[in-house]
Every structure is written in C-alpha cells, then in structure tokens.
Amino acid sequence: MKSREEIFQTVRTALVDLFELDAPNVVPEARFDDDLEIDSIDAVDLIDHLSRIFERRVSPRDFRAVRTVQDLIDTIDRLQTQ
Amino acid sequence: MMRGRTDRLHAEASDYFVSGGSSSVKRTDFYWLRLVGTGLWFLVFGLVTFVLGLVVLPLIRLVTADRALRRHRSRAVLGAGMRFFLHSVRALRFIDFEFIGREKLGRSGQLLVANHPTLIDVCFLLGFAPGANCIVKAGHFRNLITRGAVNGAGYIPNAPTAEMIHTAEAALQAGETLLMFPEGTRTVPGKPMNMQRGAANVALRAARVLTPVYITCEPSTLSKNLPWYRIPPRRPKWTLRVGEDIDLGAYRDAPVPIASRRLHADLAGLFAGVTPVRD
C-alpha cells in the first residue's frame, strides 16, 4: 500500500522517465491530452509501466475515465485497495 | 456530403481516370471487358470469402481440436484463396503484378508494415506471407461476408487501442508474422501518408524483425473513396517491393514512447517517396 503522495511521486517519475516531461509540469491538475500531450498509445505504455511497478494486473477499462494526473492517482489508489 | 468529397477526389484523379465521354485519355487493354470483368471478380471474391468463412473454416474448426493448428490451417486456406485469386485475375489479364523480395516475408516474429494504396493490397501480403496474422478493420468482424473468415483465421481487430497493441504484441512474441498497415486505412492518392504511431509502438514492444513493404499501383485504381467501376484507362500493375529490415536495436535504448516517436518519424521518411504527392 502506498500513500497518495507516494503514488503521485511514482506517477511523476514514470512520466518524466517515459516521456521526457519536465517534472514541474507534472502537477495533479495537468490534463494528459492537452497539457502533457499523452495520446492513447502513450496511455497504453504508461499503464503497462505502472502496472509493473505496482505489481498489479489492470484492465484498460479501469482507466477509461482518467483525464488528469489526479484522476490517475485516484484510480491507482482505488485499485490497490481492491 | 459524402458526394462532394468523392467528386473532389474524382477531379483530383482526373489524369488517371477516364471520366465521362469527353476525356482525351484513350481506353485501352479491352476497357469494357475489363470493366465487366472487374465487377465479376468482385462478385466472385465476395462469394468465395463468404463460403470460406461460412463453410470451409467451420469445417476446419470441426476437425481440428488444437487452437494453434486450427488457426494455421485457416490462414493457409485463406492465403491459398488469395493467391489463387491474384493468379487468376492476372492470367485473365485484368491486372498485372510484380513481387520483389517475396522470400523475405513470413519470418518468425516479423512485423510487416506497408502503405495501402488499393483495396486488394492485403491479398498480396496475406497470399504471399505464409501463415501471417494481420490487423484488420474492426468492421470486418461484423460484416456478414467477411466475419467468418477473419474470425476463423484469428486476425486482430484494429480497436480499441490497448487491446490491439497487447494482442499484436502477444502474436509477435509467439513467433507469428504480423502485417500492419500503419495508416489504418487506404492511402489517398496524391496525398502524403498519414501514419499512426501504433505500428512503431508494436514493433518496439515485440518484433524480432521489422520489414517495410512498398506498394505502388500504376495507374492508380481501387483507391480510397473511389467506386470499383472507376477502372483505369489501361491495365493496372501492382509492384510490391520488400525493403531492407530495419534495425530495431538502434531504437531500443530509449523507453518505448520516446523510441516509438523516433521510429515512427523514420518510417514516415522511408515511405515518403513511395507514393507521389501532388498538390
């Protein structure tokens, strides 16, 4: 179990490593499509990467409603308590 | 609204196609016979696909318990059907084609990427790349004529993104040959290719070999938004050239999202010269 702050740090590190984003731009309210320019193919890479880190099998369906970094943190938090 | 778009395309393609009776382009190679024949072979092709999907592949299913073997046999039958179709229409002189480097097709874990100028490109590649898998328009899995065939052969529907990428990845890892048209649809004649990054992504995830196939058809025919009966003034010839393998090792030192953008750009560059772009 990770705290929400730890989840945020993990997500931020992943976004910086995978997409060469600048860490300060990765804030909870950042939108994946407009602000971070993450498209649907990137989303698959990101989710695969995070599911390896959190050691959890996930379905892309779980992430359908994710629009912002905060949405992703909430979704991961919900999945790890299931 | 569809109509306006089609008319514009007709106008753009006017140097390729005989339109109306006022054109100065001479209709050769038995134009009217080719027109009727083209209609007939479309009909036959549809019927054969339907019968294969509805009768032959279910029969194979019935006698083949093993899933991998069943898929293998289904693809062999469909591939043979497509080869037969192409050899027939060539023998009847409706079309001509030339295949350069055919022996490089069909290796284990090989991803084939091709441009897609005409409706029947897939027949050449699935006909001559033995046992290849293919990413197919999702609509074909619902279409009454094609769904038996595409389901029986275990081809991969092109949506949604995550499923398509994971299924394609698994197929390559299992050693299959996989065919992708990176544009996801046919190339519009005279326009630059509009490739999606999915092909580069799948290549970097799982391909052992990445091989481009360059397809041209001269004069252009059976292209996007043109009905089948707009046949060219002379007999069309397809040329399929299998390119050099692309060294994926050169990209794999970066994370997939970064690397796939580089590979995607390089692929776009490789294909840029294949179809002439006109304004």
Side-chain angles (χ1 to χ4, degrees), chain B residues 28-41 94 231:
Chain B
T28 60
D29 298 334
F30 303 97
Y31 178 86
W32 294 106
L33 259 178
R34 282 193 295 117
L35 181 62
V36 174
T38 303
L40 270 178
W41 59 256
F94 290 122
I231 66 167

Side-chain angles (χ1 to χ4, degrees), chain B:
Chain B
M1 85 202 162
M2 201 57 211
R3 170 121 205 129
R5 206 168 148 206
T6 315
D7 284 347
R8 187 163 45 78
L9 278 161
H10 282 178
E12 279 169 9
S14 59
D15 48 329
Y16 282 95
F17 294 90
V18 178
S19 44
S22 59
S23 174
S24 58
V25 182
K26 194 163 159 34
R27 291 168 169 169
T28 60
D29 298 334
F30 303 97
Y31 178 86
W32 294 106
L33 259 178
R34 282 193 295 117
L35 181 62
V36 174
T38 303
L40 270 178
W41 59 256
F42 262 94
L43 201 68
V44 171
F45 186 78
L47 273 173
V48 170
T49 309
F50 186 62
V51 171
L52 282 179
L54 210 75
V55 181
V56 181
L57 298 194
L59 276 177
I60 292 175
R61 205 186 162 91
L62 211 61
V63 298
T64 320
D66 182 66
R67 250 189 89 190
L69 185 61
R70 188 197 301 160
R71 222 175 38 200
H72 174 80
R73 286 179 174 171
S74 304
R75 286 178 194 172
V77 166
L78 288 178
M82 293 182 202
R83 269 196 313 281
F84 178 74
F85 163 73
L86 292 169
H87 284 308
S88 310
V89 291
R90 180 161 72 173
L92 293 168
R93 301 171 65 76
F94 290 122
I95 72 164
D96 193 10
F97 65 83
E98 184 182 7
F99 222 121
I100 304 161
R102 225 175 90 181
E103 67 288 348
K104 288 188 276 189
L105 301 178
R107 282 170 284 162
S108 174
Q110 180 182 37
L111 178 64
L112 299 170
V113 290
N115 59 319
H116 196 353
T118 76
L119 188 64
I120 61 171
D121 302 329
V122 71
C123 297
F124 289 101
L125 291 167
L126 291 184
F128 292 100
N133 200 339
C134 181
I135 297 195
V136 176
K137 188 164 119 183
H140 290 333
F141 286 81
R142 293 185 297 268
N143 181 303
L144 191 67
I145 292 175
T146 50
R147 72 177 179 209
V150 294
N151 272 313
Y155 295 144
I156 303 169
N158 71 344
T161 311
E163 259 173 69
M164 187 267 278
I165 286 177
H166 288 143
T167 320
E169 186 180 7
L172 286 167
Q173 273 163 356
E176 292 183 50
T177 300
L178 177 66
L179 165 65
M180 268 181 108
F181 294 102
E183 291 167 284
T185 183
R186 270 175 282 168
T187 320
V188 179
K191 293 266 178 283
M193 274 176 86
N194 180 24
M195 290 210 298
Q196 311 295 309
R197 203 158 43 82
N201 186 284
V202 168
L204 288 166
R205 280 170 173 256
R208 262 168 246 168
V209 191
L210 174 62
T211 312
V213 183
Y214 309 105
I215 305 175
T216 53
C217 177
E218 185 59 35
S220 169
T221 188
L222 300 177
S223 59
K224 196 161 174 60
N225 296 335
L226 277 179
W228 63 268
Y229 51 82
R230 307 288 298 206
I231 66 167
R234 60 192 160 84
R235 181 187 306 126
K237 179 179 178 177
W238 274 256
T239 305
L240 298 102
R241 190 167 60 78
V242 183
E244 295 294 322
D245 293 343
I246 294 163
D247 177 19
L248 291 170
Y251 298 90
R252 282 190 166 132
D253 52 353
V256 169
I258 310 273
S260 79
R261 282 176 168 77
R262 286 201 335 240
L263 177 57
H264 176 71
D266 291 348
L267 278 176
L270 276 178
F271 279 99
V274 178
T275 40
V277 176
R278 291 171 288 146
D279 313 308

